[in-house]
Amino acid sequence: MGYIDLHVHSNASDGTMTPEEVVDCAAKAGLSAIALTDHDTTAGISKALAAEKKRRDAGLFAPAVIPGTELSCSWFHDGKETEIHILGLFIEPEQKDFKAFLEDMISARESRNSEILRRLAADGILLSMEDLTEGISDTVITRAHFASALIKRGYVSTVEQAFKRYLASGGKYCPLKKTVEPKDAVSLILKAGGFPVFAHPMRYHLSWREIEALTAELSGAGLQGMEVYYSSHTAEQSRRLRSLCRLFHLLPTGGSDFHGAKKPDIHIGTGYGGMRVSDLLLKDIIEFRANSSR
Ligand code: AMP
Ligand code: MN
Ligand code: MN
Ligand code: MN
């Protein structure tokens, strides 16, 4: 049996490795497949696919690269807003509506980032674009990048301080982000030929009741998978999520949420060390997709 990792970041978003390095790292770990799932972008996919091909052409072992993305969404429920992530596996990056959606989100982000820079500068806190990108072009700048830059420039000493003082969304320095509802993200992923997955359901501080309500809502929109196996999930959590999958006819998926040196304790394929995701899950997904396109 082989092992896979269906949730991996590169420096196309907030991972530290290039897509090529991610592919090499997965090969070294002996994984038979990985999904590149950078936040709100598909920019790394062509590089990862090229790296896979290059290894194969050179007669080297290579993981199959599945083009993916991880969309940040806002779920409005019970009078509160919760950030929810939806993974899209097997996405077609060039699909018209999907591409337009990502471009729209990225341009909204760019305006927000400029506004944060402007508001900080007005209070004498000076950061440059270069402080944020750290020389990586094509990267999606998030508040995490602002936190690193604020530390590097000596305005704060910890990430926590940076978020508390300067980066609260909707606070003095940081406008609210343009959002998409998770059920609309599911529809967009389906439209782009993708397989929509409810990412790391335990990470949102929701009750099981709320997780069930959200799963029901997403199922109504065509959700197909749930991330049952994840670096921080306990065996009991995975078990409960598996029963939720059965209830809503979802296929289980699994991934580490690898970010390279940014989250050094999370290893590709094994998470904190104990996670293993069987390639049989991927076989089920591929079979399901073949059957539903017939
Ligand atoms: P954005 O999408 O620009 O709102 O930024 C999201 C990024 O900021 C993600 O990488 C989060 O993990 C990170 N983030 C959000 N809130 C915090 C916090 N309180 N402490 C540390 N990181 C945070
Ligand atoms: Mn991330
Ligand atoms: Mn996530
Ligand atoms: Mn992730």
Side-chain angles (χ1 to χ4, degrees), residues 164-220:
K164 213 163 163 186
R165 281 196 206 155
Y166 300 115
L167 300 174
S169 211
K172 178 172 178 195
Y173 298 101
C174 184
L176 290 171
K177 193 164 66 174
K178 179 183 167 77
T179 60
V180 59
E181 286 192 49
K183 63 177 163 46
D184 296 331
V186 166
S187 308
L188 271 161
I189 289 165
L190 288 173
K191 233 178 177 177
F195 181 87
V197 177
F198 181 6
H200 46 65
M202 307 311 304
R203 273 196 47 192
Y204 310 113
H205 308 289
L206 298 173
S207 65
W208 277 102
R209 226 190 156 81
E210 289 171 317
I211 291 174
E212 257 190 58
L214 177 53
T215 306
E217 182 182 319
L218 298 180
S219 286

Side-chain angles (χ1 to χ4, degrees), residues 54-210:
K54 191 174 153 200
R55 289 188 66 93
R56 287 192 200 277
D57 289 349
L60 297 170
F61 169 76
V65 172
I66 296 164
T69 189
E70 179 175 21
L71 302 180
S72 308
C73 313
S74 291
W75 187 47
F76 299 93
H77 182 75
D78 257 359
K80 64 178 177 173
E81 178 183 349
T82 307
E83 184 174 331
I84 299 292
H85 292 175
I86 303 291
L87 294 167
L89 306 178
F90 296 101
I91 210 90
E92 290 162 24
E94 294 306 315
Q95 198 271 334
K96 186 167 72 33
D97 300 298
F98 190 71
K99 208 172 156 181
F101 164 76
L102 286 186
E103 279 165 7
D104 220 42
M105 294 300 272
I106 285 170
S107 86
R109 246 188 206 288
E110 283 166 357
S111 324
R112 180 189 190 221
N113 290 343
S114 312
E115 182 62 17
I116 300 173
L117 284 178
R118 197 188 65 73
R119 291 187 193 178
L120 286 171
D123 267 0
I125 299 146
L126 304 176
L127 300 178
S128 65
M129 226 4 147
E130 172 66 16
D131 289 333
L132 298 174
T133 59
E134 296 188 301
I136 301 158
S137 61
D138 240 16
T139 191
V140 175
I141 305 288
T142 69
R143 284 181 294 152
H145 295 77
F146 278 89
S148 304
L150 285 165
I151 293 172
K152 195 176 84 183
R153 289 286 165 209
Y155 292 112
V156 292
S157 47
T158 65
V159 170
E160 205 187 323
Q161 240 175 34
F163 273 90
K164 213 163 163 186
R165 281 196 206 155
Y166 300 115
L167 300 174
S169 211
K172 178 172 178 195
Y173 298 101
C174 184
L176 290 171
K177 193 164 66 174
K178 179 183 167 77
T179 60
V180 59
E181 286 192 49
K183 63 177 163 46
D184 296 331
V186 166
S187 308
L188 271 161
I189 289 165
L190 288 173
K191 233 178 177 177
F195 181 87
V197 177
F198 181 6
H200 46 65
M202 307 311 304
R203 273 196 47 192
Y204 310 113
H205 308 289
L206 298 173
S207 65
W208 277 102
R209 226 190 156 81
E210 289 171 317

